[in-house]
Amino acid sequence: MKFKEFFKYYSYSIVRIFVDQIAIALFAVAVALALANKSMPMTVASSIFSIVFFLFMVAELSFRQGAADKEKTDLGRFKRNDLTGLYIGLIANVPNFVITLGFNVFYFIEATRGSVSGVFGLIIKLICGEYLGLLSFDVGRMKLSSFPPVYFLVMIPCILAAWLGYYLGVSGSIVIKPTKKDLE
């Protein structure tokens, strides 16, 4: 399948992952700001909850897409590819990658540190807001959230959740019984 066809077929899943990430990130930022001066353990716990919730949503969305593709594969109308979920996760994280790359490039250019890199840093912290509780730990003299390369690492769980969810759906490893509403 060519990229254009792939993106057209899976565009709903790709865009939905990114939109869900922004929605959960904004919720997590609001909770983290509310708990920021009160309790560090609560901030970390809320961050972990937000991350797990987001990864569950990504895996569930990818699982449903994989299950739909399994039906088409079983009927012979679709060629099975176990890495499709990985590709969906990678493409959904392209905006994160571009913003993180901008943050990293401008952070390490002395003349733009704090100005242009600050804008990219603010955007990436808002987009990856569910990780702020975990990234609030001090490492040396600075917070982990101020270390630009760490934002490349926070994309990995989303990509793996998309791959695993799709794989479980397309392989038929997990079968969900239809409800009465599904059978109507």
Side-chain angles (χ1 to χ4, degrees), residues 123-171:
I123 294 170
I124 197 66
K125 287 173 186 171
L126 287 175
I127 290 176
C128 297
E130 61 268 20
Y131 291 92
L132 284 183
L134 294 178
L135 298 176
S136 62
F137 289 107
D138 292 327
V139 177
R141 293 181 300 167
M142 58 193 263
K143 295 237 183 256
L144 192 56
S145 63
S146 298
F147 186 62
V150 78
Y151 290 99
F152 286 114
L153 299 176
V154 300
M155 291 183 255
I156 295 172
C158 174
I159 295 167
L160 292 177
W163 169 74
L164 182 63
Y166 185 86
Y167 177 77
L168 292 174
V170 79
S171 67

Short mmCIF file of all heavy atoms in Angstrom, two decimals, residues 123-171:
data_model
loop_
_atom_site.label_atom_id
_atom_site.label_comp_id
_atom_site.label_asym_id
_atom_site.label_seq_id
_atom_site.Cartn_x
_atom_site.Cartn_y
_atom_site.Cartn_z
N ILE A 123 5.07 24.72 23.66
CA ILE A 123 4.16 23.91 22.83
C ILE A 123 4.34 22.43 23.15
O ILE A 123 3.36 21.70 23.34
CB ILE A 123 4.39 24.20 21.34
CG1 ILE A 123 3.98 25.62 21.00
CG2 ILE A 123 3.62 23.20 20.48
CD1 ILE A 123 4.39 26.08 19.62
N ILE A 124 5.58 21.97 23.22
CA ILE A 124 5.81 20.53 23.47
C ILE A 124 5.37 20.16 24.89
O ILE A 124 4.86 19.06 25.11
CB ILE A 124 7.27 20.11 23.19
CG1 ILE A 124 7.37 18.59 23.05
CG2 ILE A 124 8.22 20.57 24.26
CD1 ILE A 124 6.66 18.02 21.88
N LYS A 125 5.51 21.06 25.84
CA LYS A 125 5.05 20.76 27.20
C LYS A 125 3.53 20.70 27.27
O LYS A 125 2.97 19.95 28.07
CB LYS A 125 5.61 21.76 28.19
CG LYS A 125 7.10 21.54 28.44
CD LYS A 125 7.71 22.61 29.28
CE LYS A 125 9.21 22.38 29.36
NZ LYS A 125 9.92 23.48 29.99
N LEU A 126 2.85 21.49 26.44
CA LEU A 126 1.39 21.42 26.39
C LEU A 126 0.92 20.16 25.68
O LEU A 126 -0.03 19.51 26.10
CB LEU A 126 0.81 22.66 25.71
CG LEU A 126 0.87 23.95 26.51
CD1 LEU A 126 0.37 25.12 25.68
CD2 LEU A 126 0.06 23.83 27.79
N ILE A 127 1.59 19.80 24.58
CA ILE A 127 1.19 18.62 23.83
C ILE A 127 1.49 17.34 24.60
O ILE A 127 0.72 16.39 24.56
CB ILE A 127 1.89 18.59 22.45
CG1 ILE A 127 1.32 19.69 21.56
CG2 ILE A 127 1.73 17.24 21.77
CD1 ILE A 127 2.01 19.82 20.23
N CYS A 128 2.58 17.32 25.32
CA CYS A 128 2.97 16.14 26.12
C CYS A 128 2.67 16.37 27.60
O CYS A 128 3.42 15.92 28.47
CB CYS A 128 4.44 15.83 25.91
SG CYS A 128 4.86 15.40 24.23
N GLY A 129 1.59 17.06 27.88
CA GLY A 129 1.25 17.44 29.24
C GLY A 129 1.03 16.28 30.19
O GLY A 129 1.22 16.43 31.39
N GLU A 130 0.64 15.13 29.66
CA GLU A 130 0.41 14.00 30.55
C GLU A 130 1.71 13.51 31.21
O GLU A 130 1.68 12.84 32.23
CB GLU A 130 -0.30 12.84 29.82
CG GLU A 130 0.44 12.27 28.66
CD GLU A 130 0.08 12.91 27.33
OE1 GLU A 130 -0.44 14.03 27.30
OE2 GLU A 130 0.35 12.28 26.31
N TYR A 131 2.86 13.88 30.66
CA TYR A 131 4.14 13.47 31.21
C TYR A 131 4.74 14.49 32.17
O TYR A 131 5.80 14.23 32.75
CB TYR A 131 5.14 13.21 30.07
CG TYR A 131 4.81 12.00 29.26
CD1 TYR A 131 4.03 12.10 28.11
CD2 TYR A 131 5.25 10.74 29.63
CE1 TYR A 131 3.72 10.98 27.36
CE2 TYR A 131 4.94 9.62 28.90
CZ TYR A 131 4.17 9.74 27.76
OH TYR A 131 3.85 8.64 27.03
N LEU A 132 4.12 15.65 32.36
CA LEU A 132 4.72 16.71 33.16
C LEU A 132 4.98 16.30 34.61
O LEU A 132 5.97 16.73 35.20
CB LEU A 132 3.87 17.98 33.12
CG LEU A 132 3.96 18.78 31.83
CD1 LEU A 132 3.14 20.05 31.94
CD2 LEU A 132 5.39 19.10 31.48
N GLY A 133 4.12 15.50 35.18
CA GLY A 133 4.35 15.06 36.56
C GLY A 133 5.61 14.23 36.67
O GLY A 133 6.39 14.36 37.62
N LEU A 134 5.84 13.36 35.70
CA LEU A 134 7.05 12.54 35.72
C LEU A 134 8.29 13.35 35.36
O LEU A 134 9.40 13.06 35.81
CB LEU A 134 6.93 11.35 34.76
CG LEU A 134 5.88 10.31 35.12
CD1 LEU A 134 5.83 9.23 34.07
CD2 LEU A 134 6.16 9.71 36.48
N LEU A 135 8.09 14.36 34.52
CA LEU A 135 9.23 15.17 34.08
C LEU A 135 9.54 16.31 35.05
O LEU A 135 10.42 17.12 34.78
CB LEU A 135 8.94 15.75 32.69
CG LEU A 135 8.76 14.72 31.57
CD1 LEU A 135 8.40 15.42 30.27
CD2 LEU A 135 10.00 13.88 31.40
N SER A 136 8.86 16.36 36.19
CA SER A 136 9.09 17.45 37.14
C SER A 136 10.20 17.13 38.14
O SER A 136 10.47 17.93 39.02
CB SER A 136 7.80 17.78 37.88
OG SER A 136 7.37 16.67 38.63
N PHE A 137 10.83 15.99 38.00
CA PHE A 137 11.92 15.63 38.90
C PHE A 137 13.18 16.42 38.56
O PHE A 137 13.44 16.73 37.40
CB PHE A 137 12.23 14.13 38.82
CG PHE A 137 11.17 13.27 39.42
CD1 PHE A 137 10.32 12.54 38.62
CD2 PHE A 137 11.00 13.22 40.79
CE1 PHE A 137 9.33 11.75 39.17
CE2 PHE A 137 10.02 12.44 41.35
CZ PHE A 137 9.18 11.70 40.54
N ASP A 138 13.96 16.72 39.59
CA ASP A 138 15.22 17.42 39.39
C ASP A 138 16.31 16.43 38.99
O ASP A 138 16.45 15.37 39.59
CB ASP A 138 15.66 18.14 40.68
CG ASP A 138 14.74 19.29 41.03
OD1 ASP A 138 14.22 19.92 40.09
OD2 ASP A 138 14.55 19.57 42.23
N VAL A 139 17.06 16.82 37.97
CA VAL A 139 18.22 16.04 37.53
C VAL A 139 19.38 17.03 37.53
O VAL A 139 19.48 17.89 36.66
CB VAL A 139 18.02 15.44 36.13
CG1 VAL A 139 19.26 14.71 35.68
CG2 VAL A 139 16.81 14.55 36.10
N GLY A 140 20.22 16.90 38.51
CA GLY A 140 21.29 17.88 38.64
C GLY A 140 20.73 19.21 39.07
O GLY A 140 20.02 19.33 40.06
N ARG A 141 21.00 20.25 38.27
CA ARG A 141 20.52 21.60 38.60
C ARG A 141 19.28 21.98 37.81
O ARG A 141 18.81 23.10 37.90
CB ARG A 141 21.62 22.61 38.32
CG ARG A 141 22.80 22.44 39.25
CD ARG A 141 23.86 23.46 38.96
NE ARG A 141 24.30 23.29 37.57
CZ ARG A 141 25.03 24.15 36.90
NH1 ARG A 141 25.39 25.27 37.47
NH2 ARG A 141 25.39 23.91 35.66
N MET A 142 18.74 21.08 37.00
CA MET A 142 17.57 21.44 36.20
C MET A 142 16.52 20.35 36.26
O MET A 142 16.80 19.21 36.60
CB MET A 142 17.96 21.74 34.75
CG MET A 142 18.64 20.61 34.02
SD MET A 142 19.38 21.15 32.48
CE MET A 142 18.15 20.71 31.30
N LYS A 143 15.31 20.74 35.95
CA LYS A 143 14.21 19.77 35.92
C LYS A 143 14.35 18.89 34.68
O LYS A 143 14.86 19.32 33.65
CB LYS A 143 12.87 20.50 35.89
CG LYS A 143 12.59 21.29 37.13
CD LYS A 143 11.30 20.82 37.73
CE LYS A 143 10.96 21.64 38.95
NZ LYS A 143 11.23 20.92 40.16
N LEU A 144 13.85 17.69 34.77
CA LEU A 144 13.90 16.77 33.64
C LEU A 144 13.12 17.32 32.45
O LEU A 144 13.48 17.08 31.30
CB LEU A 144 13.35 15.41 34.07
CG LEU A 144 13.55 14.22 33.15
CD1 LEU A 144 15.02 14.02 32.86
CD2 LEU A 144 12.96 12.97 33.76
N SER A 145 12.06 18.08 32.71
CA SER A 145 11.26 18.67 31.63
C SER A 145 12.03 19.74 30.85
O SER A 145 11.64 20.09 29.74
CB SER A 145 9.97 19.27 32.17
OG SER A 145 10.26 20.33 33.06
N SER A 146 13.10 20.25 31.41
CA SER A 146 13.91 21.25 30.73
C SER A 146 15.03 20.64 29.90
O SER A 146 15.79 21.36 29.27
CB SER A 146 14.54 22.21 31.75
OG SER A 146 13.54 22.89 32.45
N PHE A 147 15.14 19.33 29.90
CA PHE A 147 16.16 18.63 29.13
C PHE A 147 15.54 18.21 27.80
O PHE A 147 14.75 17.27 27.75
CB PHE A 147 16.66 17.42 29.92
CG PHE A 147 17.82 16.72 29.29
CD1 PHE A 147 19.03 17.37 29.10
CD2 PHE A 147 17.69 15.40 28.90
CE1 PHE A 147 20.09 16.71 28.51
CE2 PHE A 147 18.76 14.74 28.32
CZ PHE A 147 19.96 15.41 28.12
N PRO A 148 15.84 18.91 26.71
CA PRO A 148 15.13 18.72 25.44
C PRO A 148 15.08 17.30 24.87
O PRO A 148 14.02 16.89 24.40
CB PRO A 148 15.87 19.66 24.48
CG PRO A 148 16.45 20.70 25.35
CD PRO A 148 16.80 20.00 26.63
N PRO A 149 16.15 16.51 24.91
CA PRO A 149 16.06 15.18 24.28
C PRO A 149 15.05 14.23 24.93
O PRO A 149 14.62 13.26 24.31
CB PRO A 149 17.48 14.62 24.41
CG PRO A 149 18.35 15.83 24.47
CD PRO A 149 17.54 16.84 25.24
N VAL A 150 14.62 14.51 26.15
CA VAL A 150 13.68 13.62 26.83
C VAL A 150 12.34 13.56 26.10
O VAL A 150 11.62 12.55 26.16
CB VAL A 150 13.51 14.02 28.31
CG1 VAL A 150 12.61 15.22 28.46
CG2 VAL A 150 12.98 12.87 29.13
N TYR A 151 12.00 14.61 25.35
CA TYR A 151 10.72 14.63 24.66
C TYR A 151 10.68 13.68 23.46
O TYR A 151 9.61 13.35 22.96
CB TYR A 151 10.34 16.06 24.26
CG TYR A 151 9.99 16.87 25.46
CD1 TYR A 151 10.92 17.74 26.03
CD2 TYR A 151 8.76 16.73 26.08
CE1 TYR A 151 10.61 18.47 27.17
CE2 TYR A 151 8.44 17.45 27.21
CZ TYR A 151 9.36 18.31 27.75
OH TYR A 151 9.05 19.02 28.88
N PHE A 152 11.85 13.26 22.99
CA PHE A 152 11.87 12.21 21.97
C PHE A 152 11.45 10.88 22.59
O PHE A 152 10.80 10.05 21.96
CB PHE A 152 13.26 12.06 21.33
CG PHE A 152 13.61 13.16 20.37
CD1 PHE A 152 14.64 14.03 20.66
CD2 PHE A 152 12.91 13.32 19.18
CE1 PHE A 152 14.97 15.05 19.77
CE2 PHE A 152 13.23 14.33 18.29
CZ PHE A 152 14.26 15.20 18.59
N LEU A 153 11.81 10.67 23.86
CA LEU A 153 11.51 9.42 24.54
C LEU A 153 10.03 9.27 24.88
O LEU A 153 9.53 8.15 24.93
CB LEU A 153 12.34 9.29 25.81
CG LEU A 153 13.85 9.27 25.62
CD1 LEU A 153 14.57 9.25 26.97
CD2 LEU A 153 14.27 8.08 24.78
N VAL A 154 9.33 10.39 25.11
CA VAL A 154 7.93 10.28 25.51
C VAL A 154 7.02 9.87 24.35
O VAL A 154 5.86 9.53 24.58
CB VAL A 154 7.40 11.56 26.19
CG1 VAL A 154 8.18 11.89 27.43
CG2 VAL A 154 7.38 12.72 25.23
N MET A 155 7.54 9.86 23.14
CA MET A 155 6.74 9.40 21.99
C MET A 155 6.71 7.87 21.89
O MET A 155 5.79 7.30 21.32
CB MET A 155 7.32 9.97 20.69
CG MET A 155 7.16 11.45 20.54
SD MET A 155 7.79 12.00 18.97
CE MET A 155 9.31 12.77 19.50
N ILE A 156 7.71 7.23 22.45
CA ILE A 156 7.85 5.77 22.31
C ILE A 156 6.66 4.99 22.87
O ILE A 156 6.16 4.08 22.21
CB ILE A 156 9.19 5.31 22.90
CG1 ILE A 156 10.34 5.91 22.07
CG2 ILE A 156 9.28 3.79 22.95
CD1 ILE A 156 11.71 5.69 22.66
N PRO A 157 6.15 5.28 24.08
CA PRO A 157 5.01 4.51 24.58
C PRO A 157 3.78 4.59 23.68
O PRO A 157 3.08 3.58 23.50
CB PRO A 157 4.73 5.13 25.96
CG PRO A 157 6.02 5.74 26.37
CD PRO A 157 6.66 6.20 25.11
N CYS A 158 3.50 5.75 23.11
CA CYS A 158 2.35 5.89 22.22
C CYS A 158 2.52 5.03 20.98
O CYS A 158 1.59 4.35 20.54
CB CYS A 158 2.17 7.36 21.84
SG CYS A 158 0.88 7.64 20.61
N ILE A 159 3.70 5.05 20.41
CA ILE A 159 3.97 4.25 19.20
C ILE A 159 3.83 2.77 19.51
O ILE A 159 3.22 2.02 18.75
CB ILE A 159 5.37 4.59 18.65
CG1 ILE A 159 5.40 6.05 18.16
CG2 ILE A 159 5.78 3.63 17.55
CD1 ILE A 159 6.79 6.59 17.89
N LEU A 160 4.37 2.34 20.65
CA LEU A 160 4.28 0.92 21.03
C LEU A 160 2.84 0.52 21.35
O LEU A 160 2.43 -0.59 21.02
CB LEU A 160 5.21 0.64 22.21
CG LEU A 160 6.70 0.73 21.92
CD1 LEU A 160 7.51 0.50 23.19
CD2 LEU A 160 7.11 -0.23 20.82
N ALA A 161 2.07 1.41 21.98
CA ALA A 161 0.67 1.10 22.29
C ALA A 161 -0.14 0.95 21.00
O ALA A 161 -0.98 0.06 20.89
CB ALA A 161 0.06 2.18 23.18
N ALA A 162 0.12 1.80 20.02
CA ALA A 162 -0.58 1.71 18.73
C ALA A 162 -0.22 0.40 18.03
O ALA A 162 -1.09 -0.28 17.49
CB ALA A 162 -0.24 2.90 17.84
N TRP A 163 1.06 0.04 18.06
CA TRP A 163 1.48 -1.20 17.41
C TRP A 163 0.87 -2.41 18.11
O TRP A 163 0.32 -3.30 17.46
CB TRP A 163 3.01 -1.32 17.43
CG TRP A 163 3.46 -2.68 17.01
CD1 TRP A 163 3.46 -3.21 15.76
CD2 TRP A 163 3.89 -3.72 17.88
NE1 TRP A 163 3.91 -4.51 15.79
CE2 TRP A 163 4.18 -4.84 17.09
CE3 TRP A 163 4.09 -3.80 19.26
CZ2 TRP A 163 4.64 -6.04 17.62
CZ3 TRP A 163 4.56 -4.99 19.79
CH2 TRP A 163 4.81 -6.09 18.97
N LEU A 164 0.96 -2.46 19.44
CA LEU A 164 0.45 -3.61 20.18
C LEU A 164 -1.06 -3.75 20.03
O LEU A 164 -1.57 -4.85 19.81
CB LEU A 164 0.82 -3.51 21.66
CG LEU A 164 0.40 -4.68 22.54
CD1 LEU A 164 1.09 -5.96 22.08
CD2 LEU A 164 0.71 -4.39 23.99
N GLY A 165 -1.78 -2.64 20.13
CA GLY A 165 -3.23 -2.69 19.98
C GLY A 165 -3.63 -3.20 18.61
O GLY A 165 -4.51 -4.06 18.49
N TYR A 166 -3.00 -2.68 17.57
CA TYR A 166 -3.32 -3.12 16.21
C TYR A 166 -2.97 -4.60 16.03
O TYR A 166 -3.75 -5.36 15.47
CB TYR A 166 -2.58 -2.28 15.18
CG TYR A 166 -2.97 -2.63 13.76
CD1 TYR A 166 -4.08 -2.03 13.17
CD2 TYR A 166 -2.28 -3.59 13.03
CE1 TYR A 166 -4.47 -2.36 11.88
CE2 TYR A 166 -2.65 -3.93 11.75
CZ TYR A 166 -3.74 -3.32 11.18
OH TYR A 166 -4.13 -3.66 9.91
N TYR A 167 -1.81 -5.00 16.52
CA TYR A 167 -1.38 -6.39 16.38
C TYR A 167 -2.36 -7.35 17.06
O TYR A 167 -2.72 -8.39 16.50
CB TYR A 167 0.03 -6.58 16.94
CG TYR A 167 0.49 -8.01 16.87
CD1 TYR A 167 0.91 -8.55 15.66
CD2 TYR A 167 0.46 -8.83 17.99
CE1 TYR A 167 1.31 -9.87 15.57
CE2 TYR A 167 0.85 -10.14 17.91
CZ TYR A 167 1.28 -10.66 16.71
OH TYR A 167 1.66 -11.98 16.62
N LEU A 168 -2.78 -7.00 18.27
CA LEU A 168 -3.74 -7.86 18.97
C LEU A 168 -5.07 -7.92 18.24
O LEU A 168 -5.74 -8.96 18.23
CB LEU A 168 -3.93 -7.38 20.41
CG LEU A 168 -2.73 -7.54 21.34
CD1 LEU A 168 -3.01 -6.89 22.68
CD2 LEU A 168 -2.35 -9.00 21.50
N GLY A 169 -5.47 -6.82 17.62
CA GLY A 169 -6.73 -6.81 16.87
C GLY A 169 -6.66 -7.58 15.58
O GLY A 169 -7.55 -8.36 15.25
N VAL A 170 -5.58 -7.40 14.81
CA VAL A 170 -5.48 -8.05 13.50
C VAL A 170 -5.13 -9.53 13.63
O VAL A 170 -5.49 -10.33 12.76
CB VAL A 170 -4.49 -7.30 12.58
CG1 VAL A 170 -3.05 -7.64 12.92
CG2 VAL A 170 -4.78 -7.56 11.11
N SER A 171 -4.46 -9.90 14.71
CA SER A 171 -4.10 -11.31 14.88
C SER A 171 -5.24 -12.13 15.46
O SER A 171 -5.22 -13.36 15.39
CB SER A 171 -2.86 -11.43 15.76
OG SER A 171 -3.15 -11.03 17.09
#
